Amino acid sequence: MIDLIDVSFEYENGTRALSHVDLKINSGEFAFVVGASGAGKSSLLKLLTRETVTTSGKVFVNGFDLNRIKKKHIPKFRRSLGMIFQDFRLIPTMNVFDNVAFGLRVTDHSAKYIRNRVPYVLDLVDLKGKEKMRTNQLSGGEQQRVAIARALANDPPLIIADEPTGNIDPGLSLQIVELLIEINYRCGTTILMVTHEHDLVRYFGGRTISIENGEVTFDDYIKGTNEAWWQNHRKD
């Protein structure tokens, strides 16, 4: 699903953002990537979404060799990703249904597919009945749920969540991470969540990848402080 092999990345001014990174995330995994501002998280995401290319090393995502991919094939690659952003990036002039349907329409899905798929993913994120509401009528947590539904709409094998809890309060942050874990568990979607909120990671536990000064300094499974949540979750 994601495979980085001895990846280094330097900006044009000579600043090294990533140094000899090896990282493999298998299909169906949920992983947190943590690190302080400037640690290299954003540079990692730019490589994974093919906004830029490595200085050295290789990057494979969803079966695409991102070092050698042709420019004309980049849109096809990006359609294999679902992206969730800190600032939601919803279209304020559209209602909830149309925000989720937008990506499906521009990729020429049929009207029948859209009519069936959008309500399905809105139900998954507990927004059933809010299809006609404008995004400015929603709370921050609800707006992020719309963004998650949009990321799910095309049924991508991989979702990358970039600081998805950065613009919502702590209580809602827990709900958003619970929702992402639920999607991973029930749908089998691989999810990579980038965050600087260490408390959230410690609460849930799971695979945690720490980046410091452009290097992976920790990559292992940690036990969450809320073990009861996991036990109840896995019994569902």
Side-chain angles (χ1 to χ4, degrees), residues 41-110:
K41 304 190 304 300
S42 295
S43 297
L44 174 65
L45 290 186
K46 288 178 180 179
L47 293 176
L48 294 179
T49 56
R50 194 40 172 79
E51 291 182 44
T52 189
V53 294
T54 64
T55 303
S56 62
K58 297 180 179 179
V59 178
F60 299 90
V61 179
N62 292 347
F64 292 86
D65 182 343
L66 299 191
N67 292 70
R68 305 179 70 178
I69 189 172
K70 294 182 179 179
K71 187 175 181 179
K72 65 180 180 180
H73 293 150
I74 292 176
K76 180 181 179 181
F77 158 67
R78 289 182 177 152
R79 287 196 293 272
S80 75
L81 304 175
M83 294 296 302
I84 303 169
F85 304 97
Q86 177 178 342
D87 55 357
F88 315 143
R89 300 194 188 181
L90 302 177
I91 302 171
T93 56
M94 292 183 179
N95 63 24
V96 168
F97 185 99
D98 289 334
N99 264 279
V100 177
F102 181 78
L104 298 175
R105 288 175 175 143
V106 300
T107 51
D108 296 326
H109 282 79
S110 71

Side-chain angles (χ1 to χ4, degrees), residues 129-145:
K130 298 193 176 184
E131 295 87 350
K132 294 183 180 180
M133 293 182 68
R134 291 294 178 94
T135 57
N136 61 7
Q137 296 175 294
L138 304 176
S139 68
E142 287 173 329
Q143 289 184 60
Q144 192 57 289
R145 286 173 181 267

Side-chain angles (χ1 to χ4, degrees), residues 5-236:
I5 304 170
D6 195 23
V7 166
S8 295
F9 174 66
E10 291 184 4
Y11 288 98
E12 291 183 358
N13 64 7
T15 300
R16 174 160 285 205
L18 295 170
S19 182
H20 302 290
V21 171
D22 290 296
L23 179 64
K24 188 177 184 68
I25 296 174
N26 294 317
S27 178
E29 280 198 272
F30 186 109
F32 292 104
V33 175
V34 297
S37 178
K41 304 190 304 300
S42 295
S43 297
L44 174 65
L45 290 186
K46 288 178 180 179
L47 293 176
L48 294 179
T49 56
R50 194 40 172 79
E51 291 182 44
T52 189
V53 294
T54 64
T55 303
S56 62
K58 297 180 179 179
V59 178
F60 299 90
V61 179
N62 292 347
F64 292 86
D65 182 343
L66 299 191
N67 292 70
R68 305 179 70 178
I69 189 172
K70 294 182 179 179
K71 187 175 181 179
K72 65 180 180 180
H73 293 150
I74 292 176
K76 180 181 179 181
F77 158 67
R78 289 182 177 152
R79 287 196 293 272
S80 75
L81 304 175
M83 294 296 302
I84 303 169
F85 304 97
Q86 177 178 342
D87 55 357
F88 315 143
R89 300 194 188 181
L90 302 177
I91 302 171
T93 56
M94 292 183 179
N95 63 24
V96 168
F97 185 99
D98 289 334
N99 264 279
V100 177
F102 181 78
L104 298 175
R105 288 175 175 143
V106 300
T107 51
D108 296 326
H109 282 79
S110 71
K112 181 179 179 180
Y113 179 86
I114 293 170
R115 285 196 305 269
N116 292 328
R117 182 67 181 173
V118 173
Y120 171 75
V121 294
L122 286 174
D123 191 30
L124 277 179
V125 301
D126 199 24
L127 287 176
K128 186 177 181 179
K130 298 193 176 184
E131 295 87 350
K132 294 183 180 180
M133 293 182 68
R134 291 294 178 94
T135 57
N136 61 7
Q137 296 175 294
L138 304 176
S139 68
E142 287 173 329
Q143 289 184 60
Q144 192 57 289
R145 286 173 181 267
V146 176
I148 292 170
R150 181 184 57 194
L152 278 169
N154 201 34
D155 196 21
L158 170 65
I159 287 178
I160 297 176
D162 182 10
E163 302 280 5
T165 60
N167 280 342
I168 53 181
D169 66 46
L172 292 174
S173 295
L174 292 176
Q175 294 177 23
I176 291 299
V177 180
E178 286 179 357
L179 176 59
L180 291 173
I181 293 172
E182 189 76 17
I183 289 167
N184 166 255
Y185 182 55
R186 295 196 179 279
C187 303
T189 309
T190 307
I191 296 181
L192 185 70
M193 176 176 160
V194 176
T195 182
H196 67 275
E197 298 187 58
H198 292 266
D199 288 344
L200 275 178
V201 178
R202 285 190 290 266
Y203 180 82
F204 289 102
R207 185 174 176 189
T208 303
I209 301 155
S210 181
I211 298 180
E212 298 179 16
N213 298 319
E215 298 181 356
V216 174
T217 57
F218 180 87
D219 183 359
D220 208 344
Y221 292 83
I222 66 173
K223 184 176 181 179
T225 57
N226 189 15
E227 190 65 19
W229 184 89
W230 275 107
Q231 291 173 357
N232 292 333
H233 177 75
R234 292 308 189 197
K235 290 177 182 177
D236 290 345

